[in-house]
PDB file of all heavy atoms in Angstrom:
ATOM      1  N   GLU A  38      23.850  15.142   1.095  1.00  0.00           N
ATOM      2  CA  GLU A  38      24.640  14.155   0.357  1.00  0.00           C
ATOM      3  C   GLU A  38      23.751  12.986  -0.029  1.00  0.00           C
ATOM      4  O   GLU A  38      23.180  12.330   0.810  1.00  0.00           O
ATOM      5  CB  GLU A  38      25.788  13.686   1.230  1.00  0.00           C
ATOM      6  CG  GLU A  38      26.736  12.737   0.516  1.00  0.00           C
ATOM      7  CD  GLU A  38      27.923  12.354   1.382  1.00  0.00           C
ATOM      8  OE1 GLU A  38      27.990  12.830   2.520  1.00  0.00           O
ATOM      9  OE2 GLU A  38      28.768  11.571   0.919  1.00  0.00           O
ATOM     10  N   VAL A  40      23.709   9.739  -0.768  1.00  0.00           N
ATOM     11  CA  VAL A  40      24.395   8.451  -0.749  1.00  0.00           C
ATOM     12  C   VAL A  40      23.954   7.678   0.469  1.00  0.00           C
ATOM     13  O   VAL A  40      23.689   8.266   1.514  1.00  0.00           O
ATOM     14  CB  VAL A  40      25.928   8.629  -0.729  1.00  0.00           C
ATOM     15  CG1 VAL A  40      26.360   9.383   0.514  1.00  0.00           C
ATOM     16  CG2 VAL A  40      26.656   7.299  -0.838  1.00  0.00           C
ATOM     17  N   VAL A  41      23.768   6.388   0.309  1.00  0.00           N
ATOM     18  CA  VAL A  41      23.382   5.544   1.433  1.00  0.00           C
ATOM     19  C   VAL A  41      24.407   4.445   1.578  1.00  0.00           C
ATOM     20  O   VAL A  41      24.786   3.787   0.586  1.00  0.00           O
ATOM     21  CB  VAL A  41      21.964   4.971   1.266  1.00  0.00           C
ATOM     22  CG1 VAL A  41      21.833   4.154   0.004  1.00  0.00           C
ATOM     23  CG2 VAL A  41      21.584   4.127   2.475  1.00  0.00           C
ATOM     24  N   ASP A  42      24.895   4.253   2.781  1.00  0.00           N
ATOM     25  CA  ASP A  42      25.824   3.165   3.110  1.00  0.00           C
ATOM     26  C   ASP A  42      25.000   2.098   3.816  1.00  0.00           C
ATOM     27  O   ASP A  42      24.635   2.273   4.996  1.00  0.00           O
ATOM     28  CB  ASP A  42      26.938   3.708   3.986  1.00  0.00           C
ATOM     29  CG  ASP A  42      27.975   2.625   4.357  1.00  0.00           C
ATOM     30  OD1 ASP A  42      27.740   1.442   4.028  1.00  0.00           O
ATOM     31  OD2 ASP A  42      28.977   2.981   4.983  1.00  0.00           O
ATOM     32  N   LEU A  43      24.730   0.993   3.146  1.00  0.00           N
ATOM     33  CA  LEU A  43      23.891  -0.053   3.742  1.00  0.00           C
ATOM     34  C   LEU A  43      24.588  -0.768   4.904  1.00  0.00           C
ATOM     35  O   LEU A  43      23.933  -1.491   5.632  1.00  0.00           O
ATOM     36  CB  LEU A  43      23.451  -1.066   2.693  1.00  0.00           C
ATOM     37  CG  LEU A  43      22.559  -0.479   1.567  1.00  0.00           C
ATOM     38  CD1 LEU A  43      22.078  -1.592   0.664  1.00  0.00           C
ATOM     39  CD2 LEU A  43      21.390   0.303   2.144  1.00  0.00           C
ATOM     40  N   ASN A  44      25.887  -0.550   5.085  1.00  0.00           N
ATOM     41  CA  ASN A  44      26.578  -1.064   6.242  1.00  0.00           C
ATOM     42  C   ASN A  44      26.415  -0.118   7.447  1.00  0.00           C
ATOM     43  O   ASN A  44      26.571  -0.533   8.589  1.00  0.00           O
ATOM     44  CB  ASN A  44      28.059  -1.247   5.957  1.00  0.00           C
ATOM     45  CG  ASN A  44      28.303  -2.355   4.951  1.00  0.00           C
ATOM     46  OD1 ASN A  44      27.741  -3.438   5.038  1.00  0.00           O
ATOM     47  ND2 ASN A  44      29.111  -2.039   3.937  1.00  0.00           N
ATOM     48  N   ARG A  45      26.079   1.130   7.170  1.00  0.00           N
ATOM     49  CA  ARG A  45      25.836   2.141   8.202  1.00  0.00           C
ATOM     50  C   ARG A  45      24.589   2.937   7.789  1.00  0.00           C
ATOM     51  O   ARG A  45      24.670   4.121   7.454  1.00  0.00           O
ATOM     52  CB  ARG A  45      27.046   3.065   8.367  1.00  0.00           C
ATOM     53  CG  ARG A  45      28.313   2.332   8.782  1.00  0.00           C
ATOM     54  CD  ARG A  45      29.560   3.210   8.725  1.00  0.00           C
ATOM     55  NE  ARG A  45      29.403   4.392   9.550  1.00  0.00           N
ATOM     56  CZ  ARG A  45      29.341   5.660   9.073  1.00  0.00           C
ATOM     57  NH1 ARG A  45      29.390   5.881   7.775  1.00  0.00           N
ATOM     58  NH2 ARG A  45      29.244   6.666   9.890  1.00  0.00           N
ATOM     59  N   PRO A  46      23.440   2.292   7.772  1.00  0.00           N
ATOM     60  CA  PRO A  46      22.268   2.928   7.134  1.00  0.00           C
ATOM     61  C   PRO A  46      21.767   4.174   7.861  1.00  0.00           C
ATOM     62  O   PRO A  46      21.060   4.993   7.286  1.00  0.00           O
ATOM     63  CB  PRO A  46      21.232   1.816   7.176  1.00  0.00           C
ATOM     64  CG  PRO A  46      21.625   0.924   8.278  1.00  0.00           C
ATOM     65  CD  PRO A  46      23.126   0.951   8.275  1.00  0.00           C
ATOM     66  N   PHE A  47      22.070   4.317   9.159  1.00  0.00           N
ATOM     67  CA  PHE A  47      21.548   5.454   9.912  1.00  0.00           C
ATOM     68  C   PHE A  47      22.498   6.665   9.835  1.00  0.00           C
ATOM     69  O   PHE A  47      22.167   7.731  10.355  1.00  0.00           O
ATOM     70  CB  PHE A  47      21.305   5.065  11.374  1.00  0.00           C
ATOM     71  CG  PHE A  47      20.201   4.048  11.537  1.00  0.00           C
ATOM     72  CD1 PHE A  47      20.534   2.733  11.798  1.00  0.00           C
ATOM     73  CD2 PHE A  47      18.874   4.392  11.383  1.00  0.00           C
ATOM     74  CE1 PHE A  47      19.512   1.761  11.935  1.00  0.00           C
ATOM     75  CE2 PHE A  47      17.861   3.452  11.514  1.00  0.00           C
ATOM     76  CZ  PHE A  47      18.184   2.134  11.810  1.00  0.00           C
ATOM     77  N   ALA A  48      23.702   6.469   9.258  1.00  0.00           N
ATOM     78  CA  ALA A  48      24.612   7.586   9.094  1.00  0.00           C
ATOM     79  C   ALA A  48      23.922   8.680   8.287  1.00  0.00           C
ATOM     80  O   ALA A  48      23.117   8.391   7.393  1.00  0.00           O
ATOM     81  CB  ALA A  48      25.880   7.098   8.405  1.00  0.00           C
ATOM     82  N   LEU A  49      24.226   9.907   8.618  1.00  0.00           N
ATOM     83  CA  LEU A  49      23.638  11.089   7.926  1.00  0.00           C
ATOM     84  C   LEU A  49      22.138  11.237   8.192  1.00  0.00           C
ATOM     85  O   LEU A  49      21.462  11.980   7.495  1.00  0.00           O
ATOM     86  CB  LEU A  49      23.905  11.024   6.416  1.00  0.00           C
ATOM     87  CG  LEU A  49      25.365  10.849   5.996  1.00  0.00           C
ATOM     88  CD1 LEU A  49      25.451  10.780   4.469  1.00  0.00           C
ATOM     89  CD2 LEU A  49      26.224  11.972   6.539  1.00  0.00           C
ATOM     90  N   THR A  50      21.631  10.541   9.219  1.00  0.00           N
ATOM     91  CA  THR A  50      20.260  10.773   9.685  1.00  0.00           C
ATOM     92  C   THR A  50      20.315  11.190  11.132  1.00  0.00           C
ATOM     93  O   THR A  50      21.298  10.964  11.830  1.00  0.00           O
ATOM     94  CB  THR A  50      19.393   9.502   9.560  1.00  0.00           C
ATOM     95  OG1 THR A  50      19.704   8.591  10.652  1.00  0.00           O
ATOM     96  CG2 THR A  50      19.587   8.810   8.222  1.00  0.00           C
ATOM     97  N   ALA A  52      19.149   9.851  13.613  1.00  0.00           N
ATOM     98  CA  ALA A  52      19.211   8.681  14.499  1.00  0.00           C
ATOM     99  C   ALA A  52      20.617   8.064  14.568  1.00  0.00           C
ATOM    100  O   ALA A  52      20.776   7.033  15.231  1.00  0.00           O
ATOM    101  CB  ALA A  52      18.230   7.635  14.051  1.00  0.00           C
ATOM    102  N   ALA A  53      21.598   8.671  13.926  1.00  0.00           N
ATOM    103  CA  ALA A  53      22.902   8.078  13.796  1.00  0.00           C
ATOM    104  C   ALA A  53      23.514   7.653  15.129  1.00  0.00           C
ATOM    105  O   ALA A  53      24.135   6.597  15.237  1.00  0.00           O
ATOM    106  CB  ALA A  53      23.861   9.027  13.073  1.00  0.00           C
ATOM    107  N   HIS A  54      23.296   8.419  16.168  1.00  0.00           N
ATOM    108  CA  HIS A  54      23.943   8.146  17.453  1.00  0.00           C
ATOM    109  C   HIS A  54      22.932   7.722  18.534  1.00  0.00           C
ATOM    110  O   HIS A  54      23.258   7.720  19.729  1.00  0.00           O
ATOM    111  CB  HIS A  54      24.704   9.371  17.924  1.00  0.00           C
ATOM    112  CG  HIS A  54      25.782   9.800  16.968  1.00  0.00           C
ATOM    113  ND1 HIS A  54      26.887   9.026  16.677  1.00  0.00           N
ATOM    114  CD2 HIS A  54      25.875  10.911  16.188  1.00  0.00           C
ATOM    115  CE1 HIS A  54      27.649   9.662  15.773  1.00  0.00           C
ATOM    116  NE2 HIS A  54      27.040  10.782  15.463  1.00  0.00           N
ATOM    117  N   LEU A 145      17.612  -4.458   7.130  1.00  0.00           N
ATOM    118  CA  LEU A 145      19.044  -4.673   7.137  1.00  0.00           C
ATOM    119  C   LEU A 145      19.455  -5.274   8.465  1.00  0.00           C
ATOM    120  O   LEU A 145      18.681  -5.219   9.447  1.00  0.00           O
ATOM    121  CB  LEU A 145      19.770  -3.344   6.908  1.00  0.00           C
ATOM    122  CG  LEU A 145      19.649  -2.771   5.484  1.00  0.00           C
ATOM    123  CD1 LEU A 145      20.127  -1.324   5.479  1.00  0.00           C
ATOM    124  CD2 LEU A 145      20.480  -3.626   4.491  1.00  0.00           C
ATOM    125  N   PRO A 146      20.642  -5.829   8.580  1.00  0.00           N
ATOM    126  CA  PRO A 146      21.104  -6.413   9.857  1.00  0.00           C
ATOM    127  C   PRO A 146      21.206  -5.363  10.981  1.00  0.00           C
ATOM    128  O   PRO A 146      21.228  -5.735  12.159  1.00  0.00           O
ATOM    129  CB  PRO A 146      22.447  -6.998   9.521  1.00  0.00           C
ATOM    130  CG  PRO A 146      22.428  -7.251   8.052  1.00  0.00           C
ATOM    131  CD  PRO A 146      21.590  -6.169   7.459  1.00  0.00           C
ATOM    132  N   ALA A 147      21.288  -4.119  10.663  1.00  0.00           N
ATOM    133  CA  ALA A 147      21.417  -3.064  11.672  1.00  0.00           C
ATOM    134  C   ALA A 147      20.222  -3.062  12.594  1.00  0.00           C
ATOM    135  O   ALA A 147      19.063  -3.082  12.165  1.00  0.00           O
ATOM    136  CB  ALA A 147      21.586  -1.714  10.988  1.00  0.00           C
ATOM    137  N   ALA A 148      20.470  -2.996  13.898  1.00  0.00           N
ATOM    138  CA  ALA A 148      19.369  -2.946  14.865  1.00  0.00           C
ATOM    139  C   ALA A 148      18.590  -1.620  14.708  1.00  0.00           C
ATOM    140  O   ALA A 148      19.167  -0.596  14.409  1.00  0.00           O
ATOM    141  CB  ALA A 148      19.916  -3.030  16.276  1.00  0.00           C
ATOM    142  N   LYS A 150      16.990   1.826  15.641  1.00  0.00           N
ATOM    143  CA  LYS A 150      17.401   2.874  16.582  1.00  0.00           C
ATOM    144  C   LYS A 150      16.183   3.372  17.356  1.00  0.00           C
ATOM    145  O   LYS A 150      15.080   3.443  16.795  1.00  0.00           O
ATOM    146  CB  LYS A 150      18.056   4.044  15.844  1.00  0.00           C
ATOM    147  CG  LYS A 150      19.355   3.692  15.130  1.00  0.00           C
ATOM    148  CD  LYS A 150      20.474   3.488  16.115  1.00  0.00           C
ATOM    149  CE  LYS A 150      21.823   3.349  15.422  1.00  0.00           C
ATOM    150  NZ  LYS A 150      22.951   3.233  16.412  1.00  0.00           N
ATOM    151  N   ALA A 176      15.799   0.303   9.377  1.00  0.00           N
ATOM    152  CA  ALA A 176      16.584   0.367   8.149  1.00  0.00           C
ATOM    153  C   ALA A 176      16.238  -0.811   7.263  1.00  0.00           C
ATOM    154  O   ALA A 176      16.408  -1.966   7.660  1.00  0.00           O
ATOM    155  CB  ALA A 176      18.068   0.393   8.457  1.00  0.00           C
ATOM    156  N   PHE A 177      15.800  -0.540   6.064  1.00  0.00           N
ATOM    157  CA  PHE A 177      15.398  -1.559   5.088  1.00  0.00           C
ATOM    158  C   PHE A 177      16.459  -1.777   4.004  1.00  0.00           C
ATOM    159  O   PHE A 177      17.264  -0.876   3.737  1.00  0.00           O
ATOM    160  CB  PHE A 177      14.076  -1.155   4.429  1.00  0.00           C
ATOM    161  CG  PHE A 177      12.859  -1.316   5.292  1.00  0.00           C
ATOM    162  CD1 PHE A 177      12.561  -0.380   6.281  1.00  0.00           C
ATOM    163  CD2 PHE A 177      12.029  -2.420   5.159  1.00  0.00           C
ATOM    164  CE1 PHE A 177      11.452  -0.551   7.095  1.00  0.00           C
ATOM    165  CE2 PHE A 177      10.932  -2.580   5.977  1.00  0.00           C
ATOM    166  CZ  PHE A 177      10.634  -1.659   6.935  1.00  0.00           C
ATOM    167  N   PRO A 188      19.833   8.580   2.255  1.00  0.00           N
ATOM    168  CA  PRO A 188      19.656   7.627   3.359  1.00  0.00           C
ATOM    169  C   PRO A 188      18.215   7.440   3.764  1.00  0.00           C
ATOM    170  O   PRO A 188      17.822   6.333   4.157  1.00  0.00           O
ATOM    171  CB  PRO A 188      20.487   8.270   4.493  1.00  0.00           C
ATOM    172  CG  PRO A 188      21.555   9.013   3.762  1.00  0.00           C
ATOM    173  CD  PRO A 188      20.909   9.541   2.539  1.00  0.00           C
ATOM    174  N   VAL A 191      15.770   4.423   2.654  1.00  0.00           N
ATOM    175  CA  VAL A 191      15.709   3.065   3.241  1.00  0.00           C
ATOM    176  C   VAL A 191      15.344   3.105   4.717  1.00  0.00           C
ATOM    177  O   VAL A 191      15.318   2.079   5.376  1.00  0.00           O
ATOM    178  CB  VAL A 191      17.055   2.332   3.056  1.00  0.00           C
ATOM    179  CG1 VAL A 191      17.342   2.130   1.579  1.00  0.00           C
ATOM    180  CG2 VAL A 191      18.206   3.055   3.733  1.00  0.00           C
ATOM    181  N   ILE A 192      15.053   4.284   5.280  1.00  0.00           N
ATOM    182  CA  ILE A 192      14.717   4.405   6.689  1.00  0.00           C
ATOM    183  C   ILE A 192      13.236   4.698   6.843  1.00  0.00           C
ATOM    184  O   ILE A 192      12.667   5.547   6.126  1.00  0.00           O
ATOM    185  CB  ILE A 192      15.513   5.563   7.351  1.00  0.00           C
ATOM    186  CG1 ILE A 192      17.012   5.330   7.203  1.00  0.00           C
ATOM    187  CG2 ILE A 192      15.148   5.681   8.824  1.00  0.00           C
ATOM    188  CD1 ILE A 192      17.536   4.082   7.885  1.00  0.00           C
TER     189      ILE A 192
END
Side-chain angles (χ1 to χ4, degrees):
E38 185 177 0
V40 61
V41 58
D42 180 354
L43 296 186
N44 294 313
R45 299 171 58 246
F47 296 104
L49 306 179
T50 78
H54 302 294
L145 290 167
K150 295 288 189 177
F177 285 79
V191 297
I192 302 297

